[in-house]
Amino acid sequence: MQEKMRTSPLVSGLALLGAGLLIRRWQPDLLTLPDDDDDSRGHDHGIRRAARKSRDGLAGALPGNLTGSIARSLMIMGAGLILVRALDELVEDEDRLF
């Protein structure tokens, strides 16, 4: 039972890293943001203009394909978990986290 608990962070880290790599490679068209269309600017008023400006501001802060940021987060979490587990092997037994 103890051996299973010691390897579970490593397996979880590898799974997160693999999922991040898979999602980054996949990049479905469904999550791709549309290109900016300059023809539609300036022809609306009131609430439609406020909605368009809010949408454009939010789209400017997001990556072109949302899977890129999701994949990057998964890869960082997986690599971090693997690194913590590897460094955990170097510390004294009573100070171990996993």
Side-chain angles (χ1 to χ4, degrees), residues 15-59:
L16 286 170
L17 191 60
L21 289 170
L22 180 69
I23 290 172
R24 185 176 183 146
R25 182 120 170 116
W26 177 35
Q27 295 207 2
D29 290 334
L30 179 66
L31 296 176
T32 301
L33 294 175
D35 291 331
D36 191 16
D37 188 16
D38 288 333
D39 295 339
S40 65
R41 295 181 183 266
H43 300 295
D44 52 4
H45 296 84
I47 194 110
R48 290 183 187 265
R49 182 176 182 179
R52 179 182 50 82
K53 286 186 170 249
S54 298
R55 180 206 58 202
D56 292 347
L58 182 60

Side-chain angles (χ1 to χ4, degrees), residues 53-86:
K53 286 186 170 249
S54 298
R55 180 206 58 202
D56 292 347
L58 182 60
L62 294 174
N65 190 310
L66 296 177
T67 55
S69 62
I70 294 169
R72 187 173 28 259
S73 297
L74 287 173
M75 289 188 298
I76 289 171
M77 287 188 302
L81 193 55
I82 291 169
L83 184 61
V84 166
R85 180 64 188 100

